[in-house]
Amino acid sequence: MKRHFWQKFKQDFPQEFAILRIGALPGLAAILLVAIARATGSLQFLEWGALDAFMRLRPAEPRDERIVLVGIEETDIERIGRYPVPDGTIADLLQKLQTYRPAVIGLDLSRELPVEPGHAELKAALAQMENTIGAERVLPQQGSPAGLPSDRVGFSDFPLDADLHVRRSLLGMPDLRKSGDYKFSLAMQLARVYLAKTENLTLENGIRDPNAMRFGRTEFPRFLSHSGGYVGTDAGGVQMLVSFRQGTEPFRMLSLRDIETGNFDPDWLRDRIILIGVTAPIYKGKIQTKAMAGLNPPSISGIEFQAHVASQILSAVLDDRALLKTWSEGWEYLWIVGWGCVGIGLGRLSNSLFKNGLGIIIFGVAAIGIGYGSFLGGWWLPVVPPVLALGFANISYTAFSEYDKVLRSRLQERQKTIDRTFNVIHNGPLQTLANVLRHLRDRDWSHEKFLAELENLNYELRAVGERLEQEMLDFEDALFLGSGKKLDLKVPIHELFYEVYRSTLERDLPGFQTLKVKAIDFEPMVPPSLGIEQKRELCRFLEEALCNVGKHAKGATRLSVTGTQTDGWYLLRITDNGPGLKSFTEGRGTKQSKHLKVQLRGKFKREALSPRGTVCELTWPVARSWVYKLS
């Protein structure tokens, strides 16, 4: 069994490799085009869309009770009667919130100028409240509320992607005004103060990446210019991919009116992070994101964004919530190429367009499923490029393979026509001509006999075209022997062998004239698994082998022609006791026999016997049929 496997492998490998090479080249070209499209940023928008979709599909998470938002709503602004809200109102709000002993308060209201009345009161309140962090804008530079010191200020800026949506946060950056100083974002400042108070953790440089930030053992993956689906993006400062918290209410939201009237549970604020900012609709549309389900329009307010970033930091440090990480570029492109190769493999394995399309759908869904599963585990893997590589490589492979198949089929048809023409001539007129030449050299025929044979040769030559035409018309199920007899190839192979034997031995060839003993026996093939073309070639082989006996086995008295089946192999053997082989050069017939051996995955030999005679054998495996065995 093992030997048969390796024999089959060695026979099939050159053809399989040639077919794979023809289709693989355009498939690899398609993979290369996808890789180039990704490397040039042409797929960025699609990959961002896939990231947003994964975010929205993530299961809802419980509300983060550590963060409370105090939003200045449109009704609050209408009640106050002016905007911006006066500094005095903010001062009163801060003093009231302080009575509930929050861990830290973030004031996301950046202002360059005081908003009277109450600026002095706000300045005094901020000076007393060391747990209050103010916000500023650094791109462009704007002042912080009431001139807070730099260690109590965080910037509220965020990087925008080319589609004007937010997927990254800026955690820290060098101070553009003071060389050597460093600034942190409002979200990072809030998380830093909270973790220092509640967990005694300090912000440090990363260990794996010294330019990254960490709290304890939790290191935040730094966004690079080619992280994930990004290509050549500005990665200045320390940036991080935002993993938005999913759920109908990710954070508790209170209004300015709720705080003023005490319409809340005091425990909601104790030891919490409180973020104060404007949530009025006129300002809410500034931060666009499609990464959260249920948003209409797809936008959030500034304090909501800061809350998501701060919650991401706290959840990673305290709850082991997965941070978004990406592979290196080399692994990502290997991942893409791998899925493209899967597409090529599908095209090679399936000859059905339906199965091929179904395979692409199944493996495409698998690639997306793996990407989503990895995303839930904190890894952002490429999804769009692998699916495109899978589909395009498969289509390219299939298209070029079909073209190559059609081209090969045409070449095979031409070769079959050439072979068929040669066989008709070789087993017909050429055999007659060889017989005439032999008798001419021996000078044992009369003049009238020569004329009769030459007339017969003339008839056979003229009939070649007619036979070929008839055989082409009945190509699927007919074969014309050199004697002119027509065989129906739909009958069992052993019956065809009998017809070939009888028809060929009726020909006037010298080797047949002296035969005294003729042994013939053809066993049926079980199961009958040969195709029409295989039957055609086997009948040609037997006819050619018998004609060789008639031409070369001069003086032979015994001829044995048998077909036997043993242990799953069928053996066709032609044996004579003529003079034996006199030439060891390969003729056309031998080459055709060896070609037939390859087609049938069998064995062929023609050799001399001792003390005289020749044996010609063709052996091939009989295909197994479980249905036949059970019947």
Side-chain angles (χ1 to χ4, degrees):
M1 187 66 149
K2 186 176 180 181
R3 181 180 178 184
H4 175 64
F5 170 80
W6 282 110
Q7 182 183 11
K8 183 177 182 298
F9 175 78
K10 287 189 289 185
Q11 290 175 348
D12 293 350
F13 179 75
Q15 182 180 4
E16 290 293 322
F17 179 76
I19 294 174
L20 187 61
R21 176 177 55 83
I22 291 296
L25 288 178
L28 291 174
I31 297 173
L32 179 61
L33 288 176
V34 173
I36 292 174
R38 186 177 196 265
T40 56
S42 301
L43 303 181
Q44 272 193 133
F45 287 90
L46 295 176
E47 293 200 75
W48 294 342
L51 176 62
D52 292 340
F54 282 174
M55 286 278 189
R56 293 193 301 271
L57 292 173
R58 195 168 56 188
E61 301 171 84
R63 183 169 54 200
D64 191 342
E65 299 288 355
R66 294 170 297 222
I67 300 176
V68 178
L69 306 183
V70 177
I72 300 174
E73 300 177 350
E74 189 171 0
T75 55
D76 296 321
I77 296 174
E78 291 176 354
R79 179 170 49 81
I80 294 170
R82 57 180 296 185
Y83 187 84
V85 177
D87 289 346
T89 303
I90 302 300
D92 293 340
L93 174 62
L94 290 174
Q95 289 174 347
K96 185 150 190 172
L97 290 174
Q98 281 292 349
T99 62
Y100 300 103
R101 299 194 299 278
V104 60
I105 299 175
L107 188 59
D108 190 10
L109 295 170
S110 56
R111 298 178 177 178
E112 292 184 343
L113 300 174
V115 181
E116 299 292 356
H119 180 67
E121 290 82 352
L122 176 59
K123 188 173 181 179
L126 290 174
Q128 296 174 358
M129 303 174 186
E130 295 184 358
N131 66 338
T132 302
I133 308 295
E136 66 175 347
R137 299 293 297 274
V138 294
L139 301 172
Q141 186 70 46
Q142 294 181 8
S144 59
L148 283 171
S150 59
D151 61 337
R152 290 176 54 195
V153 176
F155 58 81
S156 59
D157 302 81
F158 47 84
L160 279 175
D161 289 336
D163 60 354
L164 303 182
H165 285 66
V166 178
R167 299 178 183 89
R168 298 169 285 143
S169 64
L170 186 59
L171 301 181
M173 60 180 293
D175 193 333
L176 301 179
R177 294 177 298 179
K178 297 179 182 180
S179 177
D181 285 355
Y182 203 83
K183 286 183 172 294
F184 295 98
S185 68
L186 177 60
M188 177 55 77
Q189 290 281 51
L190 295 173
R192 181 180 62 82
V193 174
Y194 181 87
L195 291 173
K197 282 187 175 183
T198 60
E199 304 294 332
N200 198 29
L201 292 174
T202 57
L203 180 62
E204 301 176 276
N205 289 101
I207 298 175
R208 292 183 299 271
D209 179 4
N211 294 318
M213 299 180 184
R214 71 180 175 93
F215 286 103
R217 295 176 301 173
T218 304
E219 184 170 323
F220 301 98
R222 190 161 55 97
F223 174 84
L224 303 176
S225 60
H226 285 75
S227 291
Y230 287 86
V231 178
T233 304
D234 182 6
V238 177
Q239 299 183 31
M240 177 180 67
L241 290 168
V242 180
S243 181
F244 290 93
R245 196 175 190 90
Q246 298 299 320
T248 56
E249 189 181 4
F251 311 103
R252 192 180 300 279
M253 175 77 75
L254 300 175
S255 68
L256 177 61
R257 182 66 175 173
D258 291 333
I259 302 300
E260 291 175 345
T261 59
N263 185 26
F264 60 91
D265 186 340
D267 289 337
W268 293 351
L269 306 182
R270 188 169 295 112
D271 297 323
R272 304 292 196 265
I273 295 175
I274 300 177
L275 261 167
I276 303 171
V278 178
T279 57
I282 189 172
Y283 293 97
K284 190 176 180 179
K286 288 186 177 180
I287 301 178
Q288 299 185 68
T289 177
K290 293 182 179 178
M292 297 179 64
L295 292 181
N296 187 23
S299 61
I300 58 177
S301 63
I303 58 170
E304 288 177 286
F305 176 75
Q306 299 297 334
H308 278 284
V309 178
S311 175
Q312 181 177 353
I313 296 171
L314 298 182
S315 299
V317 175
L318 303 178
D319 306 331
D320 292 325
R321 184 175 184 259
L323 293 162
L324 276 182
K325 302 176 288 293
T326 59
W327 281 348
S328 65
E329 284 190 88
W331 284 109
E332 288 183 340
Y333 282 102
L334 184 62
W335 169 256
I336 295 168
V337 171
W339 281 103
C341 291
V342 170
I344 295 175
L346 282 174
R348 180 68 192 101
L349 292 175
S350 175
N351 294 322
S352 167
L353 291 178
F354 173 77
K355 291 181 179 179
N356 200 31
L358 183 62
I360 294 176
I361 294 174
I362 292 173
F363 279 92
V365 171
I368 296 172
I370 293 173
Y372 179 66
S374 301
F375 174 79
L376 294 179
W379 288 96
W380 178 24
L381 306 186
V383 171
V384 175
V387 173
L388 292 178
L390 172 74
F392 289 158
N394 180 272
I395 293 172
S396 300
Y397 176 88
T398 303
F400 278 86
S401 295
E402 288 298 319
Y403 170 76
D404 179 68
K405 191 181 298 182
V406 171
L407 185 61
R408 286 177 180 272
S409 176
R410 291 178 180 176
L411 292 176
Q412 289 174 356
E413 289 299 324
R414 292 179 183 179
Q415 186 62 45
K416 286 179 182 178
T417 302
I418 294 172
D419 293 341
R420 195 159 54 246
T421 304
F422 173 81
N423 288 329
V424 171
I425 297 174
H426 179 268
N427 294 343
L430 285 183
Q431 301 291 350
T432 303
L433 178 60
N435 191 33
V436 170
L437 291 174
R438 183 176 294 104
H439 285 285
L440 182 61
R441 285 192 295 269
D442 296 340
R443 298 183 180 182
D444 57 354
W445 275 1
S446 64
H447 179 70
E448 289 75 14
K449 180 65 175 177
F450 274 118
L451 286 177
E453 288 298 316
L454 289 175
E455 288 179 358
N456 183 42
L457 176 61
N458 178 55
Y459 170 78
E460 289 182 355
L461 287 171
R462 293 178 182 276
V464 167
E466 182 180 349
R467 290 180 187 176
L468 286 173
E469 184 177 354
Q470 290 176 346
E471 192 167 317
M472 287 296 294
L473 292 174
D474 300 325
F475 176 68
E476 290 298 326
D477 54 14
L479 169 66
F480 286 87
L481 299 176
S483 62
K485 185 175 181 59
K486 178 182 177 182
L487 300 182
D488 182 1
L489 296 176
K490 290 182 290 186
V491 303
I493 189 64
H494 70 284
E495 296 183 17
L496 292 173
F497 285 159
Y498 279 113
E499 291 293 331
V500 174
Y501 174 85
R502 282 193 291 266
S503 177
T504 306
L505 260 68
E506 290 175 357
R507 301 177 66 171
D508 185 15
L509 295 175
F512 298 152
Q513 306 303 321
T514 55
L515 291 176
K516 296 180 180 179
V517 178
K518 303 174 185 177
I520 176 174
D521 182 32
F522 298 112
E523 295 181 0
M525 183 182 295
V526 180
S529 55
L530 293 173
I532 293 294
E533 191 60 30
Q534 292 172 321
K535 290 181 180 180
R536 185 191 309 278
E537 295 301 321
L538 284 169
C539 290
R540 292 291 192 196
F541 167 80
L542 179 58
E543 182 185 28
E544 197 270 341
L546 291 172
C547 285
N548 283 337
V549 173
K551 290 188 298 181
H552 305 298
K554 191 174 182 181
T557 58
R558 294 194 309 273
L559 173 65
S560 173
V561 186
T562 59
T564 57
Q565 181 173 332
T566 307
D567 297 330
W569 291 79
Y570 198 92
L571 169 63
L572 182 60
R573 175 185 290 162
I574 302 95
T575 309
D576 67 77
N577 65 341
L581 293 175
K582 295 182 179 180
S583 173
F584 294 95
T585 59
E586 281 194 359
R588 174 73 182 214
T590 303
K591 292 180 179 179
Q592 287 292 97
S593 299
K594 290 184 175 180
H595 178 68
L596 178 58
K597 172 196 73 172
V598 173
Q599 284 185 329
L600 295 175
R601 299 187 177 93
K603 305 171 186 176
F604 166 76
K605 73 174 182 179
R606 179 182 283 128
E607 59 187 18
L609 296 175
S610 179
R612 56 184 286 126
T614 305
V615 61
C616 179
E617 292 182 353
L618 179 66
T619 311
W620 66 91
V622 179
R624 296 181 180 181
S625 174
W626 297 105
V627 176
Y628 185 86
K629 287 184 178 181
L630 292 172
S631 55

